[in-house]
Structures are given as structure tokens and as C-alpha cells.
Amino acid sequence: LNRLTGLDVSDIMFDTRVRLATPDFLEFEVERERHRVRRYGGAFTLVRVGFELSGGTFALFREWDSAAIVELSRLLTSTLRPLDLVARLDGQALALFLPETDARGVEAVEKRLKALLAEASLTTREGRPLGVLWDSRSFAGADVQMDDVRKFLARGEVRE
């Protein structure tokens, strides 16, 4: 593949600058899991994580430098399973992809991550505290549509 495209495969899968999965790789993994769920049953969960400052959206990827985002990525991935994925969605949000996880399973993950992020005390460069916004949705069964997944990731129903 590298000879054909001139790209390293890891550049396609991960934003090596900030060590997060790319949106395209996230979609590929979700599609693969969607087929597994349709064939064998079970569920998968997506969590959309956003950040806020004084009630407004905080553009994490524009405001923080790469080193700070790498630390956030390490913090998140250190608490997840090896098969889970942390991906960049846009300039403001991250996605957590949790294969083989239903709505009950994601509650424990969210609780653990919220406590970890609260302990980390995320702030702006000026030291102002950031709020973390969460929205999760589990997908199960044979009727999981990729359009529903894309709509969720695009907008999410963000909550604290």
C-alpha cells in the first residue's frame, strides 16, 4: 500500500501528530463492527466527548498545542481496553468507539473517564477550567444503519 499511495498505513489510520485515530479509520472500524453486530448480535457504543468554556463550545484542537492533546489521548487510552478506539471528530470533539459494549457497559466506562478527567483538571492556556460534555449511544441489532452512526457523531446530544 505504501508503494502505491506514498502514504504510510499508520498515517491513514492515525493522526500521528496527536496520536488519535482519524475520522476515516473510525468510520472503517465502526462499519466493521456494525457487520459483526448484524451477523452475530451484541452491541457497540459510541461516545462523543466535547469540551466547553463558560457555557460555549471550546475548540480543543485549535486552542491546545499537540503536546497537550497527546497527553489527553494517553490519559483516555490508558483507561480503555486495547480494542477500544479514541478518535478525533473535528476541531471540538473526540469520539470513543467501544466495540462489544452495550448501554450498561458504557456507564462504567463513562464514570471512570469522568473521574479521571475531573482529576486531570483540564484548563485553557490561561488556566480557565474546561467542562467535559458527554453523549453516548449504543447500537445493536440487524437494523444498525451507518447514516444513524454518522448523524450521532456529527451532532450528538451533548450532556454533562
Side-chain angles (χ1 to χ4, degrees):
L1 180 65
N2 187 22
R3 286 192 325 257
L4 297 175
T5 64
L7 293 173
D8 187 2
V9 173
S10 64
D11 291 339
I12 297 168
M13 298 181 342
F14 293 94
D15 180 340
T16 54
R17 195 174 42 94
V18 292
R19 298 189 182 156
L20 295 168
T22 63
D24 290 338
F25 185 62
L26 171 65
E27 187 166 322
F28 172 79
E29 288 295 303
V30 168
E31 184 69 23
R32 196 166 66 153
E33 182 69 2
R34 186 176 76 88
H35 286 291
R36 186 198 65 77
V37 165
R38 288 172 65 181
R39 183 170 184 166
Y40 300 109
F44 66 90
T45 299
L46 288 164
V47 181
R48 192 176 200 290
V49 183
F51 302 89
E52 73 171 351
L53 177 64
S54 304
T57 304
F58 180 76
L60 184 76
F61 293 96
R62 287 189 278 275
E63 300 295 332
W64 276 13
D65 63 15
S66 294
I69 295 170
V70 167
E71 282 305 310
L72 176 61
S73 174
R74 282 188 187 140
L75 188 67
L76 292 171
T77 56
S78 70
T79 63
L80 298 174
R81 303 169 299 177
L83 67 121
D84 298 334
L85 190 64
V86 180
R88 177 181 178 166
L89 285 180
D90 52 33
Q92 302 167 353
L94 299 169
L96 307 179
F97 172 53
L98 309 171
E100 301 176 18
T101 305
D102 60 14
R104 279 197 324 238
V106 78
E107 288 175 12
V109 172
E110 281 188 8
K111 184 178 178 182
R112 191 170 62 240
L113 288 174
K114 284 179 181 180
L116 189 68
L117 291 175
E119 186 179 305
S121 300
L122 302 176
T123 63
T124 65
R125 291 179 188 172
E126 298 81 29
R128 296 170 57 198
L130 292 176
V132 180
L133 304 169
W134 300 86
D135 186 21
S136 62
R137 181 169 171 196
S138 294
F139 297 87
D143 62 342
V144 175
Q145 300 298 315
M146 215 42 212
D147 283 344
D148 294 335
V149 171
R150 286 186 192 106
K151 285 177 188 173
F152 170 76
L153 290 174
R155 60 176 174 75
E157 298 295 322
V158 180
R159 58 185 162 78
E160 289 186 40

